[in-house]
Amino acid sequence: DQQVKQNSPSLSVQEGRISILNCDYTNSMFDYFLWYKKYPAEGPTFLISISSIKDKNEDGRFTVFLNKSAKHLSLHIVPSQPGDSAVYFCAATGSARQLTFGSGTQLTVLP
Amino acid sequence: KAGVTQTPRYLIKTRGQQVTLSCSPISGHRSVSWYQQTPGQGLQFLFEYFSETQRNKGNFPGRFSGRQFSNSRSEMNVSTLELGDSALYLCASSSTGAEQYFGPGTRLTVT
């Protein structure tokens, strides 16, 4: 039973364009959502988060959108850069504060 | 501030042996969580410690255990190793419990 789903295993985007990564969740008890970036053989790097009381949070080139009614969140990266190429994980947590991760999306930014 | 550190980075063990992994959290962070990453199961929560007490536990057998010391450093132990325990073990620390910052991981190979 996957509570957090990333349905696109991979995404390719041209440098300078927008990258949109999507994530769906099923558990209504989740109240905090995070995006992490991961390179092989390294730990995930925290990128940006959003609380369930908000619908948008921005940090530089990264923006996360949350649609609670649809149980959907997305990460927008604008403009995309080759250094953004990595696996992106969305994660969700509730009061127990244990992260439940999606399966990841491999983003490739083409020069 | 120094990030989360994990030792050792790589480990090779034989089936039936036991292993202890170590994690030093970011200074001031009192919550330490452990995750297992495998190609088949993705990133899965093992357990979380806060102020030397296990606060949450994931769905793993009792062979997986951990502890936290008064300086917030944490260890996890896996006894009677199985081939399926081969994975990247990640430690994350947090001050709030929600935003978790990961170390580089320990790559465990069981032969």
Coordinates of all heavy atoms in Angstrom, one line a residue, chain B residues 67-105:
Chain B
R67 N 19.8 2.7 19.4 CA 19.9 3.5 20.6 C 20.4 4.9 20.4 O 21.0 5.1 19.3 CB 20.7 2.7 21.7 CG 22.2 2.5 21.3 CD 22.9 1.8 22.4 NE 24.3 1.5 22.1 CZ 25.2 1.1 23.0 NH1 24.9 1.0 24.2 NH2 26.4 0.8 22.6
Q68 N 20.2 5.7 21.3 CA 20.7 7.1 21.3 C 21.3 7.4 22.6 O 20.8 7.1 23.7 CB 19.5 8.1 21.0 CG 20.0 9.5 20.7 CD 18.9 10.4 20.4 OE1 17.8 10.3 20.9 NE2 19.1 11.4 19.6
F69 N 22.4 8.1 22.5 CA 23.2 8.5 23.7 C 22.8 9.9 24.1 O 22.1 10.6 23.4 CB 24.7 8.4 23.3 CG 25.1 7.0 22.9 CD1 25.2 6.7 21.6 CD2 25.3 6.0 23.8 CE1 25.5 5.4 21.1 CE2 25.7 4.7 23.4 CZ 25.8 4.4 22.1
S70 N 23.3 10.3 25.3 CA 23.0 11.6 25.9 C 23.5 12.7 25.0 O 22.9 13.8 25.1 CB 23.5 11.7 27.3 OG 24.9 11.5 27.3
N71 N 24.5 12.5 24.2 CA 24.9 13.6 23.3 C 24.2 13.6 21.9 O 24.6 14.2 21.0 CB 26.5 13.5 23.1 CG 26.8 12.2 22.4 OD1 26.0 11.3 22.1 ND2 28.1 12.0 22.2
S72 N 23.1 12.8 21.8 CA 22.3 12.6 20.7 C 22.9 11.7 19.6 O 22.1 11.4 18.6 CB 21.9 14.0 20.0 OG 21.1 14.7 20.9
R73 N 24.1 11.3 19.7 CA 24.6 10.4 18.7 C 23.8 9.1 18.8 O 23.3 8.7 19.9 CB 26.1 10.1 19.1 CG 26.9 9.3 18.0 CD 28.3 9.2 18.3 NE 28.5 8.3 19.5 CZ 28.6 6.9 19.4 NH1 28.5 6.4 18.2 NH2 28.8 6.2 20.5
S74 N 23.7 8.4 17.7 CA 22.9 7.2 17.6 C 23.6 6.1 17.0 O 24.5 6.3 16.1 CB 21.6 7.5 16.9 OG 20.8 6.4 16.8
E75 N 23.2 4.9 17.3 CA 23.7 3.7 16.7 C 22.6 2.8 16.3 O 21.5 2.8 17.0 CB 24.7 2.9 17.6 CG 26.0 3.5 17.9 CD 26.9 2.7 18.8 OE1 26.3 1.7 19.5 OE2 28.1 3.0 19.0
M76 N 22.7 2.1 15.2 CA 21.7 1.1 14.9 C 22.5 -0.3 14.7 O 23.6 -0.3 14.3 CB 20.9 1.4 13.7 CG 21.6 1.3 12.3 SD 20.4 1.2 11.0 CE 20.0 -0.6 11.0
N77 N 21.8 -1.3 15.1 CA 22.4 -2.6 15.1 C 21.5 -3.6 14.3 O 20.3 -3.5 14.5 CB 22.6 -3.2 16.6 CG 23.3 -4.5 16.6 OD1 24.5 -4.6 16.5 ND2 22.5 -5.6 16.8
V78 N 22.1 -4.4 13.5 CA 21.4 -5.5 12.9 C 22.1 -6.8 13.2 O 23.3 -7.0 13.0 CB 21.4 -5.3 11.3 CG1 20.4 -6.3 10.7 CG2 21.0 -3.9 10.9
S79 N 21.3 -7.7 13.8 CA 21.8 -9.0 14.2 C 21.4 -10.0 13.2 O 20.5 -9.8 12.4 CB 21.3 -9.4 15.6 OG 19.9 -9.5 15.5
T80 N 22.1 -11.1 13.2 CA 21.9 -12.3 12.3 C 21.6 -11.8 10.9 O 20.5 -11.9 10.3 CB 20.7 -13.1 12.8 OG1 20.7 -13.2 14.2 CG2 20.7 -14.5 12.2
L81 N 22.6 -11.2 10.3 CA 22.4 -10.6 9.0 C 21.9 -11.5 7.9 O 22.3 -12.7 7.9 CB 23.7 -9.9 8.5 CG 24.1 -8.6 9.2 CD1 25.6 -8.3 8.9 CD2 23.2 -7.5 8.7
E82 N 21.0 -11.0 7.1 CA 20.5 -11.8 5.9 C 21.0 -11.1 4.6 O 21.3 -9.9 4.6 CB 19.0 -11.9 6.0 CG 18.5 -12.6 7.2 CD 17.0 -12.6 7.3 OE1 16.3 -12.0 6.4 OE2 16.5 -13.2 8.3
L83 N 21.0 -11.8 3.5 CA 21.3 -11.2 2.2 C 20.5 -10.0 1.9 O 21.0 -9.0 1.4 CB 21.2 -12.2 1.1 CG 22.2 -13.4 1.2 CD1 22.0 -14.4 0.0 CD2 23.7 -13.0 1.2
G84 N 19.2 -10.1 2.3 CA 18.3 -9.0 2.0 C 18.5 -7.8 2.8 O 17.9 -6.7 2.6
D85 N 19.4 -7.8 3.8 CA 19.7 -6.6 4.6 C 20.7 -5.7 3.8 O 21.0 -4.6 4.3 CB 20.3 -7.0 5.9 CG 19.3 -7.8 6.8 OD1 18.1 -7.6 6.6 OD2 19.8 -8.6 7.6
S86 N 21.2 -6.2 2.7 CA 22.1 -5.3 1.9 C 21.4 -4.1 1.5 O 20.3 -4.2 0.8 CB 22.7 -6.1 0.7 OG 23.5 -7.2 1.1
A87 N 21.9 -3.0 1.8 CA 21.2 -1.7 1.5 C 22.0 -0.5 1.9 O 23.1 -0.7 2.4 CB 19.9 -1.7 2.4
L88 N 21.5 0.6 1.5 CA 22.1 1.9 2.0 C 21.3 2.3 3.3 O 20.1 2.5 3.2 CB 22.0 3.0 0.9 CG 22.6 4.4 1.3 CD1 24.1 4.3 1.4 CD2 22.2 5.4 0.2
Y89 N 22.0 2.4 4.4 CA 21.4 2.8 5.6 C 21.6 4.3 5.9 O 22.8 4.8 5.9 CB 21.8 2.0 6.8 CG 21.3 0.6 6.7 CD1 22.0 -0.4 5.9 CD2 20.1 0.2 7.2 CE1 21.5 -1.7 5.8 CE2 19.5 -1.1 7.1 CZ 20.3 -2.0 6.3 OH 19.7 -3.2 6.2
L90 N 20.5 5.1 6.0 CA 20.6 6.5 6.1 C 20.2 7.0 7.5 O 19.2 6.5 8.0 CB 19.8 7.2 5.0 CG 20.2 6.9 3.6 CD1 19.1 7.1 2.6 CD2 21.4 7.9 3.3
C91 N 20.9 7.9 8.0 CA 20.5 8.5 9.3 C 20.1 10.0 9.0 O 20.7 10.6 8.1 CB 21.8 8.5 10.2 SG 21.6 9.5 11.7
A92 N 19.1 10.4 9.7 CA 18.7 11.8 9.5 C 18.5 12.5 10.8 O 18.0 11.8 11.8 CB 17.4 11.9 8.7
S93 N 18.8 13.7 10.9 CA 18.6 14.4 12.2 C 17.6 15.6 12.0 O 17.5 16.1 10.9 CB 19.9 14.9 12.9 OG 20.4 16.0 12.2
S94 N 17.0 16.0 13.1 CA 16.0 17.1 13.0 C 15.9 17.8 14.3 O 16.1 17.2 15.4 CB 14.7 16.5 12.6 OG 13.7 17.4 12.6
S95 N 15.6 19.1 14.2 CA 15.3 19.8 15.5 C 13.8 19.8 15.7 O 13.3 19.9 16.8 CB 15.9 21.2 15.4 OG 15.3 21.9 14.3
T96 N 13.1 19.8 14.6 CA 11.6 19.9 14.7 C 10.9 18.6 14.5 O 9.7 18.4 14.9 CB 11.0 20.9 13.6 OG1 11.3 20.3 12.3 CG2 11.7 22.2 13.7
G97 N 11.6 17.6 13.9 CA 11.0 16.4 13.6 C 10.4 16.3 12.2 O 10.3 15.3 11.6
A98 N 10.0 17.5 11.7 CA 9.5 17.5 10.3 C 10.5 17.5 9.3 O 10.6 16.7 8.4 CB 8.5 18.7 10.2
E99 N 11.3 18.6 9.3 CA 12.4 18.7 8.3 C 13.6 17.9 8.8 O 14.2 18.2 9.8 CB 12.8 20.1 8.1 CG 11.8 20.9 7.3 CD 12.0 22.4 7.2 OE1 13.2 22.8 7.5 OE2 11.2 23.1 6.7
Q100 N 14.0 16.9 8.0 CA 15.0 16.0 8.4 C 16.2 16.1 7.4 O 16.0 16.2 6.2 CB 14.5 14.5 8.4 CG 13.4 14.3 9.5 CD 12.9 12.9 9.6 OE1 13.6 12.0 9.2 NE2 11.7 12.7 10.1
Y101 N 17.4 16.1 8.0 CA 18.6 16.3 7.2 C 19.4 15.0 7.3 O 19.7 14.5 8.4 CB 19.4 17.5 7.8 CG 18.6 18.8 7.6 CD1 17.7 19.2 8.6 CD2 18.7 19.6 6.5 CE1 17.0 20.4 8.5 CE2 18.0 20.7 6.3 CZ 17.1 21.1 7.3 OH 16.4 22.3 7.2
F102 N 19.7 14.5 6.1 CA 20.3 13.2 6.0 C 21.9 13.2 5.9 O 22.5 14.2 5.4 CB 19.8 12.5 4.7 CG 18.4 12.0 4.9 CD1 17.3 12.9 4.7 CD2 18.2 10.7 5.2 CE1 16.0 12.4 4.8 CE2 16.9 10.2 5.3 CZ 15.8 11.1 5.1
G103 N 22.5 12.2 6.5 CA 23.9 11.9 6.3 C 24.1 11.2 5.0 O 23.2 11.0 4.2
P104 N 25.4 10.9 4.7 CA 25.8 10.3 3.4 C 25.4 8.8 3.3 O 25.4 8.3 2.2 CB 27.3 10.5 3.4 CG 27.7 10.5 4.8 CD 26.6 11.2 5.5
G105 N 25.1 8.2 4.5 CA 24.7 6.8 4.4 C 25.9 5.8 4.7 O 27.0 6.2 4.5

